[in-house]
Amino acid sequence: MHPIEQAFSTSYLVALLMGLFSALHCLSMCGSIIGSLTLSLRREIRDNKGLLMPFVLSYNMGRITSYAIGGLIAGLLEHVLSIPLGEGHGHRVLQILSALVMLGAGLHIGGWFPRFAYIEKGGALFWKRLEPYGRRLIPVETLPQAFFFGMIWGWLPCGLVYTALALAATTGDVVRSTFTMLSFGIGTLPAVVGVGIMTSLLVRLSRMQKFRQIAGITLIVLAVMAAFPGLNPLVLHHLEY
C-alpha cells in the first residue's frame, strides 16, 4: 500500500474566497481605477452601459491574465526551491510561508493587524517602473487598450494578491498554481464589474466590522489548514494498493 496522497486540492476554493474578501479590502482602490478607465472613454460610451460593459470586461480580463501569469511564476518557485532543499522540504517551506502570509491577511482584514499593509511595499519598486506604461494607455479608446490597461494594473501592489500568490506557490504544479490565481481573479469580479445592487452590498459589508472579523477568522482558519493539510476536511484522499 502506498502512502496516502491528496486527490483533490482546495486551492481554487480558497483563492476564490480570497478574491471575494479582497473586494472588501480594496473596493475603493479598484473603484478608482475603474473610474479612471470610465472617465477616459468617450461620452457616448460612458453614458451607455451596453457600450461601457465590454470595456470594463476587457479591463478585468487583462487584470486576471496578469494574476494568472503571476500564478505561473509562483508555481515555478517550488521547482526552484526544490533544487537546494529537496522536493519535499521545498514544498513544506512554501506551505509554512503561505500559511504565515494568509494568517497576516486574516488578521489584517479582521482589523487586528494593520501593519500587514506594509507587505505591499515589497512590490512598490516594480510598480514604479510599470505604472507609467498604464498611464500612456489613457485615454482608452479601444477594447485591446482596455485589456492591456488591465494587465498593467493587475500588478498594482496589493497584500491580498500576494497572499493568493503565496497559496498558488504551494500547489505543487504550475498549471494548478495558474488556475489558483484565475480563481482569485474571478472572486474579485463581483466588486469590480458589478454595478448597482452587488457593489452597494459589498460597500455596506466592507463597513461592517463584524462581517470583516468573520472574513478575517475564515482566512485564519484557512491558514491553519494550509500549514497542517491533514486538518483540512475538504481534502479528499485515496489509497493506492
Side-chain angles (χ1 to χ4, degrees), residues 31-94:
S32 64
I33 297 172
I34 285 290
S36 298
L37 169 66
T38 303
L39 290 174
S40 73
L41 297 172
R42 297 190 303 274
R43 186 178 184 85
E44 58 268 26
I45 296 176
R46 296 200 308 266
D47 294 341
N48 187 323
K49 288 186 178 180
L51 297 176
L52 175 62
M53 190 55 65
F55 282 89
V56 175
L57 290 175
S58 293
Y59 159 77
N60 281 284
M61 292 306 100
R63 181 173 59 85
I64 294 175
T65 297
S66 288
Y67 291 164
I69 293 172
L72 187 150
I73 295 172
L76 294 173
L77 180 61
E78 181 179 21
H79 297 288
V80 174
L81 285 178
S82 66
I83 297 174
L85 298 178
E87 185 174 351
H89 288 92
H91 183 74
R92 186 57 183 156
V93 168
L94 285 174

Side-chain angles (χ1 to χ4, degrees), residues 13-27 109 160 183-191 198 202 205-206 211 215 219:
L13 175 61
V14 174
L16 184 69
L17 290 173
M18 284 184 182
L20 291 170
F21 295 157
S22 73
L24 299 177
H25 172 63
C26 304
L27 195 59
I109 289 177
L160 284 175
S183 299
F184 172 80
I186 291 171
T188 66
L189 286 178
M198 182 60 70
L202 288 170
L205 290 176
S206 69
F211 184 84
L219 270 184

Side-chain angles (χ1 to χ4, degrees), residues 155-234:
W155 297 99
L156 182 72
C158 175
L160 284 175
V161 173
Y162 298 158
T163 304
L165 285 171
L167 172 68
T170 69
T171 59
D173 181 84
V174 173
V175 174
R176 189 178 298 167
S177 65
T178 301
F179 277 94
T180 295
M181 289 306 296
L182 281 174
S183 299
F184 172 80
I186 291 171
T188 66
L189 286 178
V192 181
V193 176
V195 293
I197 295 175
M198 182 60 70
T199 300
S200 300
L201 174 62
L202 288 170
V203 169
R204 288 197 297 271
L205 290 176
S206 69
R207 293 173 179 171
M208 293 173 57
Q209 184 60 25
K210 182 172 291 187
F211 184 84
R212 294 180 66 90
Q213 289 176 347
I214 292 173
I217 291 172
T218 301
L219 270 184
I220 292 170
V221 171
L222 293 174
V224 174
M225 291 182 180
F228 306 100
L231 299 177
N232 191 344
L234 298 178

